Amino acid sequence: MDLDQFTLEPFVTDEPAGRRPQRSRRPQNTRRRGRRSGNAALIQAVICVAALLLLLGLELFVFHDLEEPRPASAAPASTDAEETEENAGRGEEETLGRLKFVNGRFYSVFPADARWSLPLTASEMESLNEGSLLKLTADPGENVCAAAAGQVRSVGIDEQYGKYVRIGHGGDLESVYYHLDAVCVEEGQPLQTNDTLGTVGRDGELYVAVLEGGQPQRALNFYEAPAGS
């Protein structure tokens, strides 16, 4: 081997001296796009917050005033209140006038000016004892019904009119049904309107009376008279 071929001269290349290799850099376009995307998201968030604040303001200051109209003056408001209280009082009185209670139990509701129906279908009706007693004529064996709700106070036999049923209708008001052939109720039994009390005898006669505070009352003030009677 020839050692003279090797020298100590520096390694020479074709590239100019002093120039360093370039490093790879990220494109500037990518950075710009990222900044633009962030700015767009921030703008959208600001717009949403502003819209919510606007809606909240409209709800509090605009729509709220529209939903709550103010009265024109104080005088009509007090007048309406007085009329409301007056109507409520009338309604309560009318309702209490229609309610019927017996021993604390509610039985039925009647109009204040309504009258009871007759306890049977009568072919004839006659007023006796100055109107305190009604004589009704019907078919023998026909059922006799309670004209109004109440409670049986007593069942017995009258010397003049035979078997009877006495019904309390609340307070001191009572009705009595005389001259029954058969009785199918007992003392203390609660009754509804049209409940059967018994039957008419062979002569087809039934006598009805109304008492208030134990005193006879004009029966036709409580019962509806059939047409033509």
Side-chain angles (χ1 to χ4, degrees):
M1 172 181 283
D2 189 1
L3 297 176
D4 294 336
Q5 296 179 359
F6 295 94
T7 64
L8 296 177
E9 294 180 1
F11 180 77
V12 179
T13 63
D14 295 336
E15 296 179 359
R19 186 175 180 180
R20 296 180 181 179
Q22 295 181 356
R23 297 179 182 179
S24 60
R25 297 180 180 179
R26 295 181 180 178
Q28 296 181 356
N29 293 336
T30 304
R31 295 180 180 178
R32 293 177 180 176
R33 291 177 182 175
R35 293 177 181 177
R36 292 177 182 177
S37 300
N39 294 335
L42 180 61
I43 294 173
Q44 291 179 357
V46 172
I47 293 175
C48 291
V49 172
L52 290 176
L53 293 176
L54 178 61
L55 291 176
L56 182 60
L58 291 175
E59 179 68 21
L60 292 177
F61 299 103
V62 178
F63 298 145
H64 181 73
D65 293 338
L66 294 177
E67 292 177 357
E68 296 183 359
R70 299 177 181 178
S73 61
S78 61
T79 303
D80 294 340
E82 293 176 357
E83 292 179 355
T84 302
E85 293 179 359
E86 183 178 356
N87 294 334
R90 292 178 181 176
E92 183 178 359
E93 291 178 358
E94 293 177 357
T95 302
L96 293 177
R98 294 194 298 267
L99 297 179
K100 299 297 180 182
F101 293 87
V102 178
N103 291 340
R105 296 181 59 186
F106 168 72
Y107 284 97
S108 59
V109 178
F110 293 95
D113 57 347
R115 296 186 181 182
W116 298 334
S117 298
L118 293 177
L120 47 70
T121 302
S123 57
E124 296 180 5
M125 182 176 67
E126 183 179 358
S127 180
L128 306 175
N129 297 344
E130 298 180 354
S132 63
L133 190 67
L134 287 181
K135 177 183 177 181
L136 305 176
T137 303
D139 296 333
E142 183 175 349
N143 288 337
V144 178
C145 301
Q151 187 176 31
V152 179
R153 291 193 174 177
S154 62
V155 177
I157 299 177
D158 183 79
E159 296 180 357
Q160 183 177 357
Y161 296 106
K163 296 179 183 180
Y164 71 86
V165 174
R166 188 169 182 171
I167 302 175
H169 301 285
D172 297 329
L173 187 62
E174 298 175 313
S175 61
V176 189
Y177 303 83
Y178 295 101
H179 203 60
L180 294 170
D181 182 40
V183 177
C184 58
V185 294
E186 58 184 9
E187 185 175 346
Q189 178 178 339
L191 298 171
Q192 297 291 339
T193 305
N194 295 327
D195 282 353
T196 301
L197 307 176
T199 58
V200 178
R202 294 181 179 179
D203 57 5
E205 295 179 356
L206 178 71
Y207 298 87
V208 181
V210 178
L211 307 176
E212 189 168 10
Q215 300 298 319
Q217 303 295 313
R218 188 172 184 273
L220 288 179
N221 290 341
F222 297 86
Y223 287 94
E224 289 184 357
S229 61

